[in-house]
């Protein structure tokens, strides 16, 4: 059976590898935490399986990369692409604050339980527990502020992918960033408000894929499965 969406541009979401704060579950926004040894191995493993000529992420098909300024994301880029690939991509990547992690403000470095306990002590959340997607972060970003910067990237992506929905030009995109912001990006990609319940997981060093249905830039979608052939 032919693939009715073959050739449709894709957007790859790459979460940086493990850090010490990833292990403990601490909220890591602006804190510039490096990858652990295992975190580097996670990314290298994904690169070996998924990146290269004839593989899911083919550097020759990439038109643009958006990379968070944080060290853990920039190191992930270095591990994901070998020197030859990086040379071909050197004019195609943008290091941008628009894809940095959610600004956690007062909650930076805390655990979820600590955040909820602290808010309760301050008389907040009397009817339900704190939910970042609805409540944002004290002295940090609201969901609306996060959506605004992610929508800027989405607008850029659709502008240059839109004319090539049938593969007339190779215009795949790669985002290398963080757990919360990439899940937020996925929600905005399909037009969901960040407060919409849509449980998602993206492990350190893992890759997610977004695309479009019916070769139509106005029908953004999750790409739940890829044919490895």
């Amino acid at each position: 059976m032919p693939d009715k969406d073959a050739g449709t541009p894709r957007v790859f979401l790459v979460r940086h590898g493990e850090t010490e704060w990833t292990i403990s579950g601490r909220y890591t926004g602006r804190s510039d935490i490096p990858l652990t040894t295992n975190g580097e191995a996670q990314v290298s493993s994904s690169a070996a399986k998924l990146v290269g000529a004839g593989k899911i992420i083919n550097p020759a098909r990439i038109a643009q990369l958006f990379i968070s300024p944080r060290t853990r994301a920039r190191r992930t880029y270095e591990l994901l692409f070998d020197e030859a690939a990086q040379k071909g991509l050197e004019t195609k990547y943008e290091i941008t604050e628009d894809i940095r992690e959610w600004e956690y403000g007062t909650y930076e470095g805390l655990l979820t339980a600590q955040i909820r306990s602290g808010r309760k002590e301050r008389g907040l959340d009397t009817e339900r527990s704190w939910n970042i997607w609805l409540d944002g972060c004290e002295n940090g970003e609201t969901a609306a502020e996060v959506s605004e910067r992610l929508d800027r990237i989405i607008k850029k992506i659709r502008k240059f992918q839109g004319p090539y929905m049938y593969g007339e030009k190779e215009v795949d995109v790669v985002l290398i960033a963080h757990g919360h912001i990439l899940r937020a990006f996925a929600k905005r990609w399909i037009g969901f408000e960040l407060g919409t319940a849509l449980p998602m997981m993206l492990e350190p060093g893992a890759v997610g894929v977004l695309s479009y249905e019916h070769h139509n830039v106005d029908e953004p979608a999750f790409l739940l499965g890829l044919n490895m052939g």
Side-chain angles (χ1 to χ4, degrees), residues 145-163:
E145 289 169 332
V146 170
S147 294
E148 182 179 359
R149 59 182 170 95
L150 293 180
D151 288 350
R152 285 197 293 266
I153 297 180
I154 292 171
K155 184 177 179 179
K156 289 180 183 179
I157 292 172
R158 297 204 176 135
K159 184 175 181 179
F160 65 73
Q161 285 188 336

Side-chain angles (χ1 to χ4, degrees), residues 2 11 18 34 36 38 47 53 63 76 108 111 118 120 170 174 203 225-226:
V11 177
E18 173 193 274
T36 63
N38 184 56
T76 294
E108 182 78 7
L111 304 175
K120 185 176 181 179
E170 294 167 338
V174 177
E203 296 179 348
L226 286 170

